[in-house]
Amino acid sequence: MKISQALFGEVRGGHQLKAASEGLSVPAELSARLDLPDTAPPGTDWSPFVSGFPSGDRYVVARTFRDAAASRSGMVVSHALIAPLDELVGVSNLSFLFERLIASPDAPPNMDNLDLEPVEDMPTASPELQAAAALLAERGEGPVVRLGHDGFEDLIVSLWANLWSELRRGFAFRLSFGPGDVVETPAPVLVCTPPSLSARWRGHRLLEATPETMSIAASMLSGGREGEVLRAFKADIGAKVSEFAELPYLEQAYRMAKLEPETLLNTVRIARLVERISPDPSDGRDGKRKVLDRLLLQFESADMSDVLSLRNVSFVGFLRSEQLWSRLTRWIADHEFEPTEDVSLFRAIEDALAPRSDPPVPDWQASVRSGLFEAARSARAPFARAFWRFAEARPDLVLALWECILPTADLEARLVETVPSKLSVDAVRTLAPLASDKRFYRLHAVAVAAAYEPAMAVRLQVAAEPAPRSEGIRLVLGRGSPSEVVSCALSLADDRVVEIATSLVVADPTLLADVDMTHPVAWEIWSAAVRSDAGAWKGPCDPVGVFHAMLTEILDGVARSGQTIDGFSRTPLADLATFPRRADLWPRINEPARGNLMTATARGWIERCATKDPVLPIEPDLQVAVLRERSLEDLLRKLAASNLGRAVEIVDELPSLGENRFLDALHVAGARSGVMAPHDAEALGRLLRDRGWRRTAEELLRSLRIGRQDVRPALRVCASLLGYWDRWYWGLKEITADEKWNSLEELAADLYPWGPDQDGLWERAGGRGADLEHTGSGRHQWRAALSRLRRGQSAPSVRSLLRIMLDDYASNERLRFLVDDREFGGHR
């Protein structure tokens, strides 16, 4: 390493540069920094002392002496060695520089540039290292103060060895006579001071006795083993830690990450600390990923107060922090919004929409707003209930929340369903105009009904709800009319009267018993009544015929006012098993009616399968619905145990039925005490063969192994799904000579996985090891050996080989079976 030298001392009565290495440019301020920091108090012992500090792209190490030969008192001689900063921060032992500094106030023999080799060995630790490390790792103002200059150099060397490059770059040390002389930049981190001046440092961190306990950060600075975990954590999160003041943040982050309970609040604190000490996203990616993953996982048990703790964490130092904000959005969207969390919830909404002070980070704000937006669209009710509580508690912010969630008709329906019995006038004064402007007349109705007396509520509703709408009026009044109103509705066809009549039919469906259901308004009233209350389906004298006529008109393209089937799809009429044009209907209707009708019809189909009627063919759309029904499993289990042939017939009509479901039903059949009829077994075998259900075939084979001979007809039909060994061994199907030799190869590789020469098998059987291949897997070696043996190209004989194998594995049934086979010299 190229080192420059500079000598400073008395020049024309002042402290100036006296000499320097050739080509060295010495900044003017260097003279001042290598002088005494202040006038030395009389009688103090301070000479010599060492100092060090960064200066631009170089680092200066110096030793300063009292100059007794100067023309006036207070003058000093300072010898400085100046090294490249980028190189020196990578050197762990500074002793190679201190050793080249002058040891007396005399000028060095020459001022040439030096080419020094850094010392690689770690220095001996100073007795004061731990005490200094403990103080440097604490939070405190000003430098750490050591009393006395003797041994200060050893402490500096020990401490430097345990620092990392970022800390070394800003590390400065020197003599100081008091806090008032610590003014330069960078300020010294560690100073020595004459013991007689210790009183000047009252309230500062004085280097005295070694503390009984050491923080983890202090252990890291002193080279202790306990500090290695913190050093590893620092590397993991990419923390640079260029100032000692940042060490407490590093240790706090470590303790929370490794030693404290894994709560979301602690993880947020970790993230905040990591963000502070490692702000560059490209640093510590793995460590930060762990923090982020932990935070994402802890969202599973988070509450609303935890969400508030995230409001001021920007995660700018984390890659893919958008995952967190997306998770926050999803968490709020799926939240239950319990009343016990209302304080935190209302604070979160306020901070997201209109913070009064200390605004949250934009990502948090946007995530909460998005989460509220999504929650408002959830089909569940928690947000709607929370909305009413918020409107009651914070009517001043209802408009801001309304504009954030952009309410939909679905939300209106949930709000109507969850409206409390009482609301304050203040809350409704804000909400009612918003509902009216959005044409949410039912929401308007329930709101005014909860806040005002009935007469006022009706007036407000009539003013807000334009004709011919009347559902809001009906909600406000909650009253009905006699049967004459139904007749009036049929004759007038007034929408408001029709709606009132519908509510009456909901209360008493028999009002439609004598009505001509071919009348268009009658259809409308019945449809609307059924939508409101499924029990109204029984109103007409022939509800099935009327409903099927309605479906026929839909298929024929006949449009009638109010003719919808959504309500009917939730009634017993939804079973369309007897509707002749059922297959044409499915593409013509929408959800949820289609799904409801499909489900009801599927259940009806299953119920008919349980009877003795023939199994009816079903279209693909209906088959999907049938497969979703749990009752299908129940029926198949029952039939599998009592009428397996019928179960197979049903499954034949359901080509999409999975093997697992059928196998579950078959387990019930296997548990019964009776015997499977041959024709049922053969039908079962054909099913397995046609579907390729290998696992079920293997289940039947297990039954055969334990003595269930009644499954043999089924296995003979689906034998192609079994391995050739099982087909051969159990007499299900003849196998070829090649398959027999393959079986021998498979068994040999299982018993002697390292090859034919394992345990000397080949030679014990009369063969020669030289004839064998010794490359490739054991299975490959067996294939080659048996191929040669089968062609008669080598000894031993296959029968000799099998006999030796049987000696090794006398209880192996497969070996005995092979020995007895004619292909291998047996008699079977």
Side-chain angles (χ1 to χ4, degrees):
M1 183 182 300
K2 184 177 181 180
I3 308 295
S4 299
Q5 301 186 73
L7 184 68
F8 299 84
E10 183 183 19
V11 176
R12 293 188 294 279
H15 185 76
Q16 301 289 334
L17 176 68
K18 298 184 70 173
S21 299
E22 181 179 356
L24 176 65
S25 175
V26 180
E29 66 271 12
L30 213 56
S31 296
R33 294 198 67 164
L34 293 176
D35 196 0
L36 282 181
D38 199 355
T39 302
T44 56
D45 180 18
W46 56 265
S47 178
F49 70 87
V50 293
S51 59
F53 53 89
S55 177
D57 61 354
R58 297 177 290 182
Y59 194 90
V60 179
V61 176
R63 183 174 284 129
T64 300
F65 294 84
R66 178 186 287 111
D67 188 357
S71 60
R72 61 183 180 86
S73 63
M75 300 299 291
V76 298
V77 173
S78 295
H79 179 215
L81 297 180
I82 304 172
L85 180 61
D86 288 341
E87 295 184 44
L88 190 63
V89 295
V91 175
S92 296
N93 194 335
L94 281 182
S95 60
F96 80 105
L97 291 181
F98 286 125
E99 290 170 357
R100 299 303 296 263
L101 292 171
I102 59 175
S104 66
D106 302 317
N110 65 71
M111 295 296 292
D112 296 338
N113 287 315
L114 304 175
D115 192 2
L116 301 182
E117 187 69 28
V119 178
E120 298 296 335
D121 297 335
M122 287 290 289
T124 302
S126 164
E128 299 172 301
L129 175 59
Q130 289 189 346
L135 293 176
L136 287 167
E138 293 178 355
R139 290 187 177 92
E141 296 294 330
V144 171
V145 182
R146 179 188 186 271
L147 300 179
H149 60 280
D150 290 335
F152 186 57
E153 177 180 319
D154 294 336
L155 175 58
I156 295 300
V157 170
S158 295
L159 183 60
W160 176 279
N162 289 294
L163 304 184
W164 45 94
S165 60
E166 291 85 6
L167 271 182
R168 290 172 181 169
R169 284 183 179 278
F171 184 56
F173 56 91
R174 64 168 171 82
L175 172 74
S176 177
F177 295 130
D181 66 35
V182 182
V183 295
E184 69 268 38
T185 302
V189 176
L190 184 63
V191 300
C192 62
T193 193
S196 60
L197 303 182
S198 62
R200 294 185 176 185
W201 296 96
R202 186 173 290 110
H204 286 69
R205 294 173 290 173
L206 286 175
L207 184 60
E208 297 175 324
T210 302
E212 293 183 2
T213 59
M214 297 275 288
S215 69
I216 304 176
S219 178
M220 180 169 64
L221 290 180
S222 61
R225 293 177 59 186
E226 295 83 357
E228 292 303 313
V229 293
L230 185 58
R231 194 178 293 270
F233 178 73
K234 169 184 170 295
D236 196 32
I237 64 173
K240 299 302 183 185
V241 188
S242 59
E243 299 178 7
F244 288 92
E246 295 175 336
L247 282 171
Y249 301 120
L250 176 64
E251 180 168 343
Q252 186 180 3
Y254 168 78
R255 287 184 177 278
M256 288 186 175
K258 305 297 184 181
L259 307 178
E260 298 294 329
E262 290 193 11
T263 64
L264 186 142
L265 184 58
N266 275 349
T267 307
V268 170
R269 291 170 178 164
I270 295 168
R272 186 178 285 112
L273 291 166
V274 170
E275 185 177 70
R276 178 171 186 159
I277 58 181
S278 182
D280 189 341
S282 62
D283 294 330
R285 297 183 180 183
D286 290 342
K288 292 174 182 176
R289 179 74 260 174
K290 294 173 189 174
V291 174
L292 200 58
D293 287 346
R294 173 170 153 177
L295 192 57
L296 291 171
L297 183 63
Q298 288 168 338
F299 260 105
E300 298 296 330
S301 58
D303 58 29
M304 193 60 68
S305 62
D306 291 325
V307 168
L308 281 174
S309 70
L310 286 164
R311 65 188 300 279
N312 288 322
V313 188
S314 64
F315 293 91
V316 294
F318 292 73
L319 292 175
R320 296 190 293 277
S321 61
E322 66 276 3
Q323 293 180 354
L324 171 68
W325 302 122
S326 296
R327 184 68 182 87
L328 174 57
T329 295
R330 190 72 263 149
W331 184 88
I332 293 175
D334 296 337
H335 199 53
E336 292 299 323
F337 300 109
E338 295 291 348
T340 55
E341 295 185 291
D342 278 354
V343 173
S344 297
L345 170 63
F346 297 166
R347 172 67 189 280
I349 294 176
E350 178 181 355
D351 286 350
L353 303 180
R356 296 179 180 178
S357 60
D358 184 25
V361 296
D363 284 334
W364 181 91
Q365 200 170 24
S367 296
V368 173
R369 292 175 65 93
S370 296
L372 293 172
F373 179 87
E374 294 295 335
R377 276 150 182 74
S378 171
R380 302 179 305 116
F383 177 81
R385 295 190 180 96
F387 179 90
W388 288 118
R389 301 196 302 272
F390 183 76
E392 189 72 6
R394 296 299 305 271
D396 58 311
L397 288 179
V398 168
L399 174 59
L401 179 58
W402 188 267
E403 293 175 343
C404 169
I405 62 177
L406 300 177
T408 64
D410 288 339
L411 176 60
E412 181 204 14
R414 289 189 290 276
L415 291 172
V416 169
E417 292 171 359
T418 58
V419 64
S421 59
K422 293 292 183 182
L423 288 172
S424 68
V425 172
D426 287 342
V428 175
R429 280 175 180 166
T430 302
L431 179 59
L434 298 175
S436 181
D437 290 343
K438 194 73 174 176
R439 300 182 182 179
F440 289 168
Y441 301 119
R442 294 197 304 140
L443 176 59
H444 184 281
V446 297
V448 296
Y452 297 96
E453 291 298 323
M456 176 60 72
V458 171
R459 274 199 302 273
L460 292 172
Q461 186 65 26
V462 169
E465 186 174 9
R469 304 291 295 273
S470 67
E471 65 268 27
I473 298 172
R474 185 175 62 251
L475 285 173
V476 174
L477 292 176
R479 60 183 176 87
S481 305
S483 60
E484 290 80 9
V485 176
V486 176
S487 298
C488 185
L490 294 175
S491 61
L492 297 176
D494 180 84
D495 287 345
R496 294 188 178 220
V497 179
V498 166
E499 290 182 12
I500 296 172
T502 299
S503 66
L504 295 173
V505 171
V506 170
D508 183 7
T510 62
L511 291 171
L512 295 178
D514 297 324
V515 170
D516 179 7
M517 294 303 298
T518 63
H519 194 295
V521 177
W523 290 82
E524 182 179 353
I525 292 175
W526 191 40
S527 296
V530 171
R531 285 200 304 273
S532 178
D533 185 348
W537 74 273
K538 295 181 288 186
C541 61
D542 180 16
V544 174
V546 175
F547 184 52
H548 285 190
M550 181 186 296
L551 297 179
T552 300
E553 289 197 350
I554 291 175
L555 290 174
D556 292 342
V558 177
R560 290 187 183 273
S561 175
Q563 179 175 290
T564 63
I565 62 173
D566 289 352
F568 297 104
S569 70
R570 294 185 290 271
T571 72
L573 297 175
D575 181 1
L576 302 181
T578 61
F579 182 58
R581 299 176 63 183
R582 184 185 65 219
D584 298 330
L585 183 65
W586 305 130
R588 301 289 299 274
I589 53 177
N590 299 320
E591 298 294 349
R594 183 180 187 276
N596 294 337
L597 293 171
M598 192 79 73
T599 298
T601 306
R603 291 171 181 170
W605 186 88
I606 294 171
E607 290 172 3
R608 286 171 177 80
C609 285
T611 69
K612 295 182 179 181
D613 295 336
V615 177
L616 298 175
I618 58 173
E619 61 275 17
D621 288 337
L622 183 57
Q623 180 185 166
V624 173
V626 167
L627 293 176
R628 285 198 298 262
E629 291 301 314
R630 182 178 297 274
S631 59
L632 177 64
E633 273 79 6
D634 297 337
L635 177 61
L636 288 178
R637 291 191 189 105
K638 179 180 179 181
L639 291 176
S642 61
N643 190 350
L644 180 60
R646 180 69 166 185
V648 171
E649 287 183 55
I650 295 172
V651 175
D652 276 337
E653 289 296 332
L654 300 171
S656 298
L657 180 75
E659 181 179 12
N660 288 342
R661 297 174 71 177
F662 181 73
L663 185 55
D664 178 67
L666 201 60
H667 282 154
V668 175
R672 65 191 177 96
S673 59
V675 176
M676 190 183 301
H679 62 277
D680 286 348
E682 291 175 358
L684 175 61
R686 286 191 295 274
L687 176 66
L688 301 186
R689 180 195 62 201
D690 295 343
R691 297 283 177 93
W693 284 353
R694 191 177 304 278
R695 287 181 56 239
T696 308
E698 291 171 351
E699 285 289 322
L700 293 180
L701 180 62
R702 277 191 281 273
S703 298
L704 179 62
R705 287 171 179 158
I706 61 174
R708 284 288 302 274
Q709 295 298 321
D710 58 324
V711 301
R712 186 178 292 277
L715 288 170
R716 285 193 178 120
V717 174
C718 64
S720 59
L721 300 176
L722 303 173
Y724 48 76
W725 172 265
D726 290 324
R727 300 198 302 266
W728 178 24
Y729 186 83
W730 294 102
L732 301 176
K733 185 180 178 181
E734 289 296 328
I735 67 170
T736 65
D738 288 343
E739 290 173 328
K740 293 180 180 181
W741 281 90
N742 289 340
S743 175
L744 173 58
E745 176 190 319
E746 180 182 300
L747 180 59
D750 286 342
L751 298 178
Y752 302 92
W754 300 107
D757 58 349
Q758 181 176 332
D759 301 330
L761 171 66
W762 193 260
E763 292 184 354
R764 285 189 289 132
R768 296 189 311 160
D771 293 337
L772 296 174
E773 287 191 17
H774 296 281
T775 60
S777 64
R779 183 66 172 262
H780 174 79
Q781 294 176 35
W782 270 112
R783 185 176 296 120
L786 293 176
S787 177
R788 290 174 57 86
L789 189 151
R790 186 180 181 186
R791 295 193 304 269
Q793 294 178 350
S794 66
S797 68
V798 65
R799 189 155 187 81
S800 298
L801 181 64
L802 285 171
R803 287 296 185 188
I804 297 300
M805 293 170 68
L806 192 57
D807 289 343
D808 290 348
Y809 296 95
S811 61
N812 191 288
E813 292 184 7
R814 288 195 175 189
L815 275 175
R816 291 200 300 270
F817 189 80
L818 291 174
V819 167
D820 291 341
D821 193 78
R822 189 182 306 277
E823 178 68 21
F824 304 115
H827 302 290
R828 188 186 64 252

